[in-house]
Amino acid sequence: MPAGAKSRSPEYRLAAGALSGLRQDLFKDPFAYRPLPPWSPDGPLLRRLPERVRRYAVWTPHAVVVGAALFTVMLSLTVGESMGGGLLHAVAGFVPAVAVAMTLLRPVGAWWISLVSTPFVAVLGGEGFGAPWAPAGFFAHIVVMTVVAARTRPRTAAWMWAGTAAFGFFASVLWYSMDSDTGPMLVISALALLVTTTVHVRREAKVEMTAQRQVTAVERDKRTLLEERTNIARELHDVVAHHMSVVAIQAEAAPYRVENPPPELEQAFVTIRENAVAALTELRRVLGVVRAEDYEAPDAPQPTLADLGRLLENVREAGLRVGQTVTGAVRDLPQGVELSAYRIVQEALSNALRHAPGAEARVEVSYVLGGLGLRVVNGPPTGLVKPSPGAGHGITGMRERIAMLSGEMTAGPTADGGYEVAAFVPVATPEPEPAPQPTTATATDQSGDPA
């Protein structure tokens, strides 16, 4: 760090930052083309208007600014008539009116034109109406600062007010001996800028808060999705690890079940066991990253559809009247399908308890030829307890499980005010094992030929 930078005081850095802000706001490309955009037709005010009116209402800010410019000209002409009229008063009103209209295209440049033209407008408008601002220039300058403050940031409004104050005191001391209207200008402009800046800051804060809420909601959904995927990965790890362990044990014990097995068969079983152990090790290594440090594997086996009865009893004890219907031929399904189906029914009933207290629910499990169908529907809340709010994360988790199994799911309100969750999980139908062929013995004679 340079030696001079260490000796700079905080006051110096504050002043340097302030001057840098002044250059950025008022001196850097002040006449840049920055047209005022129309209002959004979907805003809180315009969206309530009819479509035909809304097409023209979006230009309301432009109409207000143009109206203020016309009022500036009329004010100068009215004052000129009271003083005898003249072309000079028309010019004295036209110049500040141009500055007002210029705020639609080049806002900072409009402020400079309004400030620099103030003494000339005062001279053209005649004396006796205050110094250094003539009535038309007084009104126009306040309008210009208000519009520029609404179109820029609050720091620009502070610099404009400070520049106006410096100009007003300088002009009052050097150019005029009569009473100055700098005081009223500074008081009225300060009030106008304060109100404008407050509204502007509040609007910007509201927009930023809305955007932050959207980002937060998206991040929350992503985090919920990742948590659900982590839970699914843990459960799949337990399921797959169990089956791979069984494969390894069976492959190791298989040679001992055959008397005098050929070497090729022994080597085949050794290879199967080695591959099963290697796959199990790799699975644990890859999926181990999804386990938290404080995560403990469940002691009990993972639940299946056979455990739905116990789940429904627990839900009934919690206050939800629920019935169960099972259709089709009940059969064993892959463990991942059983676990995911159980979790979906569990989450759907939890949502019914949370969002529809006092309602009645029904669980339907359908064993069909091509897979498994699930349907959980509940009625509207009927109890005195108010429903608890939710963020929809349970639905996100259910959809993630169904997508993992290449299934389909729908969830939404019913006509009577309840809610329905329906899902279908495709399950391949196991091919029937071929029937063993009966063995027939053929009689032979002593020569070895068939009899």
Side-chain angles (χ1 to χ4, degrees):
M1 180 180 294
K6 296 182 179 180
S7 60
R8 291 176 181 175
S9 63
E11 292 80 4
Y12 175 83
R13 291 194 295 268
L14 180 63
L19 293 178
S20 176
L22 173 62
R23 292 193 300 268
Q24 178 70 24
D25 295 334
L26 297 183
F27 290 96
K28 183 179 180 180
D29 201 5
F31 290 92
Y33 182 68
R34 302 168 187 171
L36 176 64
W39 277 351
S40 173
D42 298 327
L45 297 178
L46 298 189
R47 62 186 177 189
R48 303 178 181 178
L49 300 177
E51 181 65 25
R52 296 179 58 184
V53 179
R54 195 186 310 172
R55 288 185 299 176
Y56 301 100
V58 296
W59 302 103
T60 300
H62 303 72
V64 172
V65 173
V66 173
L70 295 177
F71 181 80
T72 301
V73 177
M74 294 175 58
L75 180 62
S76 180
L77 293 177
T78 302
V79 174
E81 290 180 358
S82 64
M83 299 181 60
L87 180 61
L88 295 180
H89 288 87
V91 176
F94 179 76
V95 174
V98 170
V100 172
M102 192 175 174
T103 58
L104 296 175
L105 303 176
R106 309 178 193 275
V108 179
W111 178 79
W112 280 111
I113 290 180
S114 177
L115 187 67
V116 172
S117 63
T118 294
F120 304 99
V121 172
V123 172
L124 294 176
E127 300 179 357
F129 294 96
W133 281 277
F138 189 95
F139 172 78
H141 195 66
I142 293 179
V143 171
V144 167
M145 286 198 296
T146 303
V147 175
V148 175
R151 298 197 56 193
T152 56
R153 49 187 175 178
R155 192 176 67 181
T156 305
W159 283 123
M160 287 192 303
W161 188 88
T164 300
F167 171 81
F169 286 119
F170 182 77
S172 300
V173 171
L174 295 184
W175 296 344
Y176 298 94
S177 57
M178 61 184 65
D179 295 335
S180 172
D181 56 1
T182 299
M185 165 62 74
L186 296 181
V187 172
I188 297 175
S189 62
L191 293 176
L193 294 178
L194 179 61
V195 173
T196 304
T197 303
T198 302
V199 174
H200 182 67
V201 170
R202 183 178 180 182
R203 182 172 64 249
E204 292 293 331
K206 186 177 180 179
V207 172
E208 184 177 356
M209 183 179 298
T210 302
Q212 187 63 32
R213 286 178 178 175
Q214 294 176 352
V215 173
T216 303
V218 172
E219 293 297 331
R220 188 186 301 115
D221 291 340
K222 289 182 178 180
R223 185 173 64 251
T224 303
L225 186 61
L226 291 176
E227 291 176 355
E228 187 63 29
R229 288 182 176 178
T230 300
N231 293 333
I232 295 173
R234 289 170 177 171
E235 294 170 353
L236 285 179
H237 171 267
D238 297 335
V239 172
V240 176
H242 167 73
H243 288 294
M244 295 300 294
S245 299
V246 171
V247 170
I249 294 174
Q250 292 292 337
E252 184 177 7
Y256 300 99
R257 298 177 181 271
V258 181
E259 184 178 356
N260 297 324
E264 295 81 2
L265 182 61
E266 291 184 352
Q267 183 60 38
F269 281 118
V270 170
T271 303
I272 292 174
R273 183 183 182 279
E274 291 177 352
N275 288 333
V277 172
L280 184 59
T281 303
E282 187 69 16
L283 177 67
R284 288 172 176 169
R285 184 184 66 82
V286 174
L287 295 183
V289 297
V290 302
R291 293 187 182 274
E293 294 181 358
D294 56 348
Y295 175 76
E296 295 181 0
D299 297 332
Q302 296 290 350
T304 62
L305 290 177
D307 301 314
L308 278 183
R310 191 181 307 113
L311 173 64
L312 298 184
E313 288 297 330
N314 294 336
V315 173
R316 292 189 186 101
E317 293 177 359
L320 181 66
R321 296 171 295 170
V322 57
Q324 180 183 9
T325 303
V326 179
T327 59
V330 179
R331 65 182 186 274
D332 292 334
L333 300 175
Q335 191 169 357
V337 175
E338 295 263 356
L339 175 61
S340 295
Y342 180 90
R343 295 301 188 197
I344 290 172
V345 174
Q346 184 182 38
E347 183 61 34
L349 293 178
S350 299
N351 289 341
L353 276 172
R354 187 182 306 111
H355 302 294
E360 183 175 355
R362 185 171 68 258
V363 177
E364 298 178 3
V365 181
S366 302
Y367 291 87
V368 295
L369 185 61
L372 177 69
L374 298 173
R375 183 172 180 264
V376 182
V377 58
N378 63 268
T382 58
L384 299 178
V385 181
K386 294 183 179 180
S388 302
H393 296 160
I395 300 296
T396 302
M398 287 189 282
R399 293 188 187 279
E400 185 68 17
R401 289 183 179 272
I402 291 296
M404 179 192 66
L405 298 173
S406 301
E408 297 179 358
M409 172 182 160
T410 60
T414 59
D416 60 351
Y419 203 83
E420 177 184 12
V421 175
F424 177 79
V425 180
V427 179
T429 304
E431 298 181 358
E433 296 181 359
Q437 298 293 332
T439 58
T440 58
T442 305
T444 60
D445 57 10
Q446 293 182 355
S447 63
D449 298 327

